[in-house]
Amino acid sequence: MRNFVVTINGKSYSVGVEEVGESENSVPVLKTVSEMPKEAPVNKNSAKGEKVLSPFPGLIKNILVADGATVKKDQPIIVLEAMKMDNEVTAPCDGKVTLCVTKGANVETNAQLAVIG
């Protein structure tokens, strides 16, 4: 299953899509839909500062700091679950954090998780 964020009429929804059948002409089928909280940032690529990237694919299990919080270098900011193990993603430098993901999102390797500036 792959998760996407879709915006329809100004509302963001988290959507899980799963392939069904085994033919190469399989059609993706909508598996789950849930409305995203309005205050949750989805992506802020325009933020300036040091990017925090996902070291591997996984699930954002928890966000340990609030958007806009001041963090110290090596402070844990996000818990990334991969292969049923929790991994802390830490701040690479001191600064103010701008989150680019939401709890429950699936991310790929090198996905931008946050910006610290």
Side-chain angles (χ1 to χ4, degrees):
M1 178 174 327
R2 294 187 60 191
N3 290 326
F4 299 91
V5 175
V6 179
T7 303
I8 301 171
N9 294 330
K11 288 188 178 184
S12 293
Y13 299 89
S14 175
V15 180
V17 179
E18 179 178 281
E19 274 190 45
V20 293
E22 298 205 12
S23 76
E24 64 182 60
N25 295 329
S26 297
V27 177
V29 174
L30 185 64
K31 187 74 172 179
T32 59
V33 177
S34 62
E35 189 171 341
M36 299 287 289
K38 288 188 182 209
E39 67 277 3
V42 174
N43 196 350
K44 294 182 182 175
N45 289 325
S46 62
K48 302 241 188 271
E50 186 152 350
K51 294 178 182 176
V52 180
L53 304 178
S54 176
F56 38 76
L59 170 76
I60 303 298
K61 189 169 181 183
N62 202 1
I63 297 178
L64 304 174
V65 296
D67 194 40
T70 301
V71 295
K72 297 284 186 189
K73 182 178 182 187
D74 297 326
Q75 177 180 342
I77 58 173
I78 292 174
V79 176
L80 180 64
E81 181 184 282
M83 298 178 63
K84 299 189 181 191
M85 292 184 64
D86 291 349
N87 303 277
E88 289 184 341
V89 178
T90 60
C93 60
D94 293 354
K96 185 177 177 180
V97 68
T98 301
L99 296 170
C100 301
V101 293
T102 58
K103 184 176 177 179
N106 282 311
V107 296
E108 299 295 328
T109 302
N110 293 324
Q112 186 171 324
L113 304 177
V115 176
I116 300 185

